[in-house]
Amino acid sequence: RTSPRLLCAATQQKNTGQNLEEDQSQSQNEQKVEPSSAEKLLAEEKAKLEEQLKEVTEKYKRALADAENVRQRSQKLVEEAKLYGIQSFCKDLLEVADILEKATESVPKEEIKDENPHLKSLYEGLVMTEMQIQKVFKKHGLLRLNPVGAKFDPYEHEALFHSAVQGREPGTVALVSKVGYKLHGRTLRPALVGVVKDA
């Protein structure tokens, strides 16, 4: 025969087990219950804020990239302005150099004698001036193009005429009517040339 004490303990254990099961099922039911409207609003607000943060971050990154591009372009423009800012001034000086060259070429070499001191000193002065102006041009990156015998290049030469020349390769420069100039590698004035054509 079981004692009443044992029966009471068994009943308590049974009740405790039932209570545990009830508590578990109750907590599962609570989890299944939909979140309150305040929680929904907070979740929606959080999603909106995260989206806005993402958009602002993207805009910020684009703005940084644009600013860097503008800075690099501005720096390049400043460097080009330093190099090519004297371009129009150089073009004007080229005419002076052409006149000096024509003046020295026009003096007959046989007339340059000690018996003719005025002409000799004038000629020497012109030659020295021409040499000095070419030094100044070179110092500032302005180089002379005299392409006799070189291959015709449309970026550096302007063809005035084509003619067949014996012993010359077709497509080469046979005659230079006017020398050209380059400023820091950029053609400032193309050389005016005659080009050899096929016979």
Side-chain angles (χ1 to χ4, degrees), residues 59-111:
K59 285 180 181 176
Y60 174 70
K61 286 178 181 175
R62 273 194 228 111
L64 278 179
D66 286 346
E68 181 61 20
N69 288 341
V70 166
R71 187 191 68 75
Q72 287 176 353
R73 265 188 257 127
S74 300
Q75 189 176 3
K76 188 178 177 185
L77 286 172
V78 166
E79 287 169 4
E80 283 186 359
K82 284 179 185 175
L83 284 178
Y84 303 111
I86 59 170
Q87 189 168 321
S88 61
F89 179 67
C90 286
K91 273 187 178 179
D92 292 340
L93 277 181
L94 294 183
E95 298 304 319
V96 176
D98 291 340
I99 292 167
L100 279 171
E101 188 178 357
K102 293 282 185 225
T104 54
E105 286 175 1
S106 68
V107 177
K109 301 292 184 257
E110 62 274 1
E111 294 294 322

Side-chain angles (χ1 to χ4, degrees), residues 2 6 9 20 44 54-55 58-60 69 75 90 97 101 104 107-108 129 136 140 151-152 156 164 184 196:
T2 41
L6 286 173
L20 281 172
E44 288 174 8
K54 191 176 177 183
E55 285 176 22
E58 284 298 314
K59 285 180 181 176
Y60 174 70
N69 288 341
Q75 189 176 3
C90 286
E101 188 178 357
T104 54
V107 177
T129 307
V136 171
H140 292 283
K151 194 84 175 156
F152 176 76
E156 295 181 359
H184 297 291
V196 180

Side-chain angles (χ1 to χ4, degrees), residues 113-187:
K113 298 177 182 173
D114 290 333
E115 296 88 47
N116 204 345
H118 299 295
L119 182 62
K120 186 179 179 187
S121 61
L122 179 64
Y123 175 78
E124 286 170 356
L126 286 173
V127 169
M128 285 170 54
T129 307
E130 191 180 357
M131 284 170 53
Q132 188 60 36
I133 203 166
Q134 289 302 325
K135 275 186 191 174
V136 171
F137 285 172
K138 196 170 186 179
K139 179 182 171 186
H140 292 283
L142 188 62
L143 299 176
R144 185 180 163 140
L145 296 174
N146 192 357
V148 174
K151 194 84 175 156
F152 176 76
D153 182 356
Y155 295 106
E156 295 181 359
H157 313 140
E158 187 178 324
L160 296 177
F161 60 89
H162 290 80
S163 66
V165 179
Q166 289 292 331
R168 291 281 182 98
E169 187 184 335
T172 58
V173 175
L175 176 90
V176 176
S177 173
K178 194 174 194 179
V179 292
Y181 285 89
K182 279 178 126 178
L183 180 62
H184 297 291
R186 183 189 288 179
T187 302

